[in-house]
Structure formats: C-alpha cells, structure tokens
Amino acid sequence: MSQMPQLSACPSCEEPLESGDRFCGACGYDLSAVPERPQDNPTITMNGSVPAQGTAAGEYPERPSAPPAGAPWPAPGPADPQATAAGGPMPPEAPPAAGVRFDRRPDGHAAPPETYQTQPDHQTQPDQMQPDEYLLQAPDPRVSAEPAAPVAGTGGKVCVACRAGRVDDDGYCENCGHAQPRERDHMEQESGPIAAVSDRGLRHHRNEDAFAIGTTALPDGTPASVAIVCDGVSSATRPDDASQAASRAASEAVLAALPRGAHPQQAMHDAIVAASRAVNSLADEPATAREQAPHQNAPACTIVGAVVTSGLLIVGWVGDSRAYWVPVDRSAPPARLTEDDSWAAQMVAAGLMNEAEAYADERAHAITGWLGADAYELEPHTAAFKPDRPGVVVVCTDGLWNYAEAAEEMARVLPLDAAAHPLHSARVLVGHALDGGGHDNVTVALVPFPAVPQGAGSA
C-alpha cells in the first residue's frame, strides 16, 4: 500500500490539517482514502503487445525527458534552415498539495458546489438542483430533422420540439415553451483527416465540452495532426467558457510550435501550460460577479490532446478526459493511453480497490487534477508512443468513455473504417453514448495514425 500523501487541507471540508493527521478533526474524513496520484505513462513502442491496463508504472522503461532547448526536431528542412526546437521553460513548481473536486453527483448529473464540494457523501435532492441542471424533455439531438422552416407570414422559425410553434427572440417556443438548440448544443468539424463531434447529451441544459482540431507540417514537410478535447467542470462557474478557452489556447500553441521545430512532446506540454493560463485568466472577474455567486469555484476544465506525425504519437492530459489507441487491424490489441486524475484511478493505483469497485463508488468521478485558478498545482502529463501499425486515436471526454470504458469496449464501438471516415465514425461514437442514456455532454475527436497530408479526409 502506498504511503498516505501529506495534505495541507482536508479534501472533503477543506479545513487545515496538522502534520501526521490520519482523520480530519473537523469532519472526520479518512485521509488515507486519498492515496498518491499515479505516475505518468512512459514512452513505449506499441508493437502489438501493449502492456495491460493497470501495469505498474515501474515496469515500463522510464519516460525520456523533453529534448534540450536548441536541439532541432526533426532536422530542419531545406525551406527553413533556421528552425530549432522551441523547448519552452517548465512551469514553476508549486508546493506539494492534494485536492479533490466533485464534478457531478453519483447519478451522473452535475453537482451543486455547495453540496458536493464539502459533503461528498450527501445525496442532493431534486429541489436542491441548480437551474442549469434541471432535466429537460429535449428531442433526441441525433435526429437529423430538416432545418427549422420559417413560419408563414412571421419570418420566424418553427420549434424543433413541437414543429408547430413560433420561436421568439429569446430562443423559446411560443407554443410549448421549449428552448431551441444553441450553437454549442451539437458541433461537428473536419480538418483534413481529423474529425470531431460534440453534443450536449440528453440530460444537460448546456454543452460544457469543447474541442479544437487542426493540421500542420513539421519543418521537413512531414504532416502532423492535432486534436484537443476539454470538459468543463460543472461544479465551477462558467465551465463552458473554461473548456472553450483551454481548447483554443492549447490548439493554437501546438499548431504554432510544431512548424518551428519544437518536439511534439514539448509542444504538448507547453500547450497545456498555455491552456491553464487561458482558464486562469477567466477568474479575473469584476467584484460584482463574485458577490453574486460567492460560493462558486473559479472556472475550470479538464484537457486531453493528441499529436500524430508519421511515426510518433504524443498524448497529453490533465483530469479524467481520455485518449485510446485502436489499431486498424482489430486482431491487434487496443490500449488506453492516459491515466485519470481521479479518486477512482488513485484507489486502483494504490491497490486499495480494483477498477470495477473503484468506478462503482459514488466518489469515482471526483477529479484530483484540473485546469483553473483554484487548482492546487499544474501537473501536465505527457506520454510518447511509437505504433508499428496504422490505427486511430480516440480523444474523448467521460461523456463517451462512461459508456465504453475499457479499450476493448471502445474498439468494439468504433467502426472498422474509422481511419477512412472519421466524421461518420465520430457520429457513431456520440450516438453510442446517447443510446446509453446521454447523461453527460459527449465529445470525441478521431485522429488517424500515421498522419496523412492535409486535404485527405472523409469521403
């Protein structure tokens, strides 16, 4: 059993702790329930014999450090002889601390912060739910109905729910009162060979997920694909703004660094730092905004991203959004490429529970790492892989992997032609989550490996 980490504050009630305390003197919380966070995944060669999930980190070769500043990666191409690695500075180390944020209730809905930030075992009653989390009787967003037609003589639009009422200027049906879909309720995008789909789901009032995808080229002309997916923390204020700011900042940072010769692993690390800064800046609100919601946490989100080149796959993450590897040859094993920053993952890593027990616990989705001004520390995780065969990288939020948690399950759901038709396949994955209940926002990006030149995409 791993040693209990030294905590400065109780992760349940946030009251200060004395050195050596085993139980919180304020609420009695068992501090041994928060073991040390798992180590990062190392660099491994994916040769069809991927180590099984749950393998101790020490059994892998140690992850190499990022290349030294000034060392070009790869060798600068003839068109840009001056290109060198960016190799930005590492962020300053924060004092060791640990924290837990409860992102949703045990039944899968978002958690009001005043209830679940301080009382993780208390069940929120329906009359305590926040207005944004009331369950809406929304139409299935997968139904590709015809675009709302103008109402004769009014110039308005027809309600997508009752198909009869006029939609007023505030976006509500004058007949049935149904709120009409917003731009972020369902988003789809293709960029060369990459595709991403995000959906509000069937139970949430808004979509707090965001993504950013793009393609570029390394200095030697080698193509590179980038996908970033972020999940807003529902117990924080403005989670939708946080995820959008983080995804944009990270994507822009990676797409700018790679053509300059930065090593993809260093570029991913720096992109997460840039995303963190973008989310932190959202906390600089007017005093009046803080007075209106003094109980709210600072804006926060999780992040996961992938960079794919001709022979290298890089993933980076903070939080519990995930990346999976699914080979085109389904006889080869798929793999999960990330380890969650969550209570459940720490319990499994510490050997206190198996995965089935940990993820069945109501505290499973308490995240221990996130981007935000109130995060205890910024600890970007990055890992490099060298697959020896073609495949697809699935980059997603927990709104999808809750319905296909194991790598084998994700591989079964992913269409066989996902590398050739990523947009269609992303729609299929989102549909799988909606068929399973759609309790959360659902976002997935698909990145074929190896990277193919820009312009090649779905038929």
Side-chain angles (χ1 to χ4, degrees):
M1 181 181 299
S2 60
Q3 294 181 350
M4 185 178 67
Q6 295 299 313
L7 306 179
S8 59
C10 175
S12 175
C13 69
E14 300 184 349
E15 289 297 318
L17 298 173
E18 296 294 335
S19 177
D21 281 351
R22 178 176 175 79
F23 297 92
C24 174
C27 68
Y29 187 79
D30 184 356
L31 301 177
S32 64
V34 187
E36 292 178 330
R37 63 195 311 129
Q39 298 182 28
D40 284 349
N41 279 325
T43 302
I44 62 172
T45 299
M46 299 171 66
N47 57 6
S49 180
V50 179
Q53 295 180 30
T55 302
E59 297 178 15
Y60 293 96
E62 185 173 346
R63 177 168 63 92
S65 59
W73 189 96
D80 187 9
Q82 302 299 322
T84 58
M90 299 290 285
E93 293 187 2
V100 177
R101 166 168 280 175
F102 289 85
D103 188 23
R104 54 181 57 81
R105 298 203 313 267
D107 60 4
H109 304 267
E114 65 272 22
T115 301
Y116 267 76
Q117 187 76 5
T118 59
Q119 302 178 45
D121 293 326
H122 178 67
Q123 177 65 43
T124 302
Q125 299 302 319
D127 59 359
Q128 294 175 304
M129 295 171 65
Q130 297 299 302
D132 277 354
E133 301 306 331
Y134 290 141
L135 305 183
L136 302 181
Q137 296 301 318
D140 189 333
R142 291 166 295 164
V143 178
S144 57
E146 294 292 329
V151 178
T154 65
K157 292 184 178 181
V158 174
C159 172
V160 299
C162 69
R163 308 299 297 174
R166 176 183 177 277
V167 178
D168 63 21
D169 294 338
D170 293 328
Y172 290 86
C173 175
E174 294 180 346
N175 179 49
C176 68
H178 192 280
Q180 303 304 293
R182 290 162 291 192
E183 181 181 0
R184 287 185 63 174
D185 283 356
H186 186 88
M187 301 178 291
E188 299 185 356
Q189 184 182 347
E190 279 186 295
S191 179
I194 323 170
V197 175
S198 181
D199 194 277
R200 188 190 75 188
L202 304 178
R203 305 291 292 274
H204 273 261
H205 174 66
R206 63 184 174 187
N207 190 356
E208 296 169 358
D209 289 356
F211 66 81
I213 58 176
T215 57
T216 187
L218 305 180
D220 64 354
T222 302
S225 302
V226 177
I228 305 291
V229 168
C230 296
D231 184 355
V233 176
S234 294
S235 62
T237 185
R238 300 168 62 194
D240 50 339
D241 291 341
S243 62
Q244 189 168 62
S247 60
R248 287 178 177 175
S251 175
E252 291 171 0
V254 174
L255 292 174
L258 292 177
R260 295 198 300 261
H263 190 283
Q265 191 164 3
Q266 184 67 55
M268 177 60 72
H269 177 278
D270 295 344
I272 295 176
V273 174
S276 176
R277 291 171 180 159
V279 177
N280 291 352
S281 68
L282 298 178
D284 299 330
E285 300 174 314
T288 53
R290 290 192 295 271
E291 291 170 359
Q292 292 172 359
H295 61 278
Q296 287 278 22
N297 296 306
C301 69
T302 67
I303 185 170
V304 62
V307 176
V308 167
T309 67
S310 60
L312 189 64
L313 162 59
I314 302 294
V315 294
W317 74 98
V318 173
D320 63 350
S321 294
R322 293 181 176 179
Y324 292 83
W325 163 257
V326 180
V328 170
D329 178 6
R330 297 301 172 86
S331 64
R336 196 177 89 201
L337 306 179
T338 57
E339 289 290 339
D340 301 342
D341 289 321
S342 71
W343 180 91
Q346 290 191 9
M347 297 301 286
V348 174
L352 301 177
M353 290 183 174
N354 60 38
E355 281 202 5
E357 294 170 339
Y359 283 99
D361 193 283
E362 63 182 12
R363 296 165 290 183
H365 286 281
I367 56 175
T368 56
W370 62 87
L371 304 183
D374 63 350
Y376 289 89
E377 58 184 336
L378 175 61
E379 187 176 346
H381 309 295
T382 61
F385 303 89
K386 297 179 180 178
D388 68 342
R389 65 196 66 204
V392 176
V393 184
V394 180
V395 185
C396 64
T397 61
D398 61 345
L400 171 60
W401 67 251
N402 274 327
Y403 299 99
E405 185 172 333
E408 293 76 15
E409 293 178 285
M410 189 66 71
R412 283 195 295 271
V413 178
L414 184 69
L416 295 175
D417 62 351
H421 302 285
L423 180 58
H424 166 75
S425 300
R427 290 169 176 161
V428 169
L429 292 180
V430 170
H432 174 76
L434 297 179
D435 285 340
H439 286 85
D440 200 355
N441 308 142
V442 188
T443 302
V444 59
L446 298 181
V447 190
F449 177 92
V452 295
Q454 187 173 2
S458 301

